[in-house]
Amino acid sequence: QKEVEQNSGPLSVPEGAIASLNCTYSDRGSQSFFWYRQYSGKSPELIMFIYSNGDKEDGRFTAQLNKASQYVSLLIRDSQPSDSATYLCAVNKGGGGFKTIFGAGTRLFVKA
Amino acid sequence: EPEVTQTPSHQVTQMGQEVILRCVPISNHLYFYWYRQILGQKVEFLVSFYNNEISEKSEIFDDQFSVERPDGSNFTLKIRSTKLEDSAMYFCASSDYRQESEKLFFGSGTQLSVL
C-alpha cells in the first residue's frame, strides 16, 4: 500500500469551475497534511496545510481533512488557467517531524 | 522574500564520479532536507538534518550518500560514486522551528545527469 495515494489525472475543468483533488494516506499516526503545487520543471510550493479534522479555507483554496477516513482533499474555487499544475498531497507524522512523504500528484488542467 | 538557494542548477557527471550538490537554506531555519524527483515520478524523501545530525533517512539514502553542514549557511549532499539511476532533480528544502517545522520551503533544484 502506498503511503500517500492520489489520482494521477489529468483532471480537466473549465475556467471558473471548482476543481476537487483527493488524497488518501496509510499511516494513522499522521498529524500534518499539506498541499503543494508544482508547475512543470519547477519546485514544489506550499499552498495549504491542515492539522485538524474539518475544513480550512484560504482565499480560493479549501483543504478538508477526515482522519477517520484517512482522507485529505483540496478544493479550488473559480479555477484559473494559472492553476494548471500538478498538486502534491504531503503527509507528516507531526510533532516537529522530520519526514514529509509526498504523493505522486494530480495534474490539473484548467481550460480557458 | 527569503528563499532556499541551490547550486549548480545543472550538473552533468560520469558514472562513478563524486558529486556535491550545494544548498543555502533560509537563514533562520533549523531543519534541512534533501528530496529527489526522477523525471515523471514523485518527489521522494532522502534525508532530514537537524542540530548537525541526520534525523531521518530513507532507504534510498544508502552509504553512497552523505550530507554535511560545513559552515553556518551551507548544506550539502554528496554522492560518492554516481550511478545512472541517480539521474534526477535534487531539491533542498528547509523549515522553520517550533510549530511550523513541517512546512517545507524548497529550492529551485539541481538537475543531475549521470552519463
Side-chain angles (χ1 to χ4, degrees), chain A residues 34 36 38 43 49 96 98 100, chain B residues 31 35 37 48 101 103-104 107:
Chain A
F34 307 88
Y36 287 80
Q38 186 177 30
S43 58
F49 62 93
F98 302 106
T100 297
Chain B
Y31 299 80
Y35 284 81
Q37 187 173 33
S48 58
S101 62
K103 294 181 188 175
L104 301 177

Side-chain angles (χ1 to χ4, degrees), chain B residues 35-50:
Chain B
Y35 284 81
R36 79 173 186 189
Q37 187 173 33
I38 295 171
L39 185 64
Q41 298 186 26
K42 69 175 185 178
V43 176
E44 297 178 291
F45 172 81
L46 293 179
V47 66
S48 58
F49 191 87
Y50 170 68

Side-chain angles (χ1 to χ4, degrees), chain A residues 72-85:
Chain A
V72 195
S73 67
L74 178 70
L75 299 177
I76 306 174
R77 289 180 299 281
D78 188 23
S79 295
Q80 301 297 310
S82 59
D83 294 327
S84 298

Side-chain angles (χ1 to χ4, degrees), chain B residues 23-62:
Chain B
C23 169
V24 178
I26 294 173
S27 62
N28 63 339
H29 285 185
L30 298 178
Y31 299 80
F32 314 118
Y33 312 81
W34 284 101
Y35 284 81
R36 79 173 186 189
Q37 187 173 33
I38 295 171
L39 185 64
Q41 298 186 26
K42 69 175 185 178
V43 176
E44 297 178 291
F45 172 81
L46 293 179
V47 66
S48 58
F49 191 87
Y50 170 68
N51 199 25
N52 284 318
E53 61 183 25
I54 290 174
S55 302
E56 292 205 46
K57 61 182 181 179
S58 71
E59 296 166 352
I60 302 168
F61 195 89
D62 61 21

Side-chain angles (χ1 to χ4, degrees), chain B residues 3-29:
Chain B
E3 61 180 19
V4 176
T5 304
Q6 289 187 244
T7 55
S9 57
H10 293 84
Q11 175 85 52
V12 181
T13 190
Q14 296 291 324
M15 189 170 55
Q17 294 297 304
E18 175 184 287
V19 294
I20 297 176
L21 310 183
R22 303 180 190 281
C23 169
V24 178
I26 294 173
S27 62
N28 63 339
H29 285 185

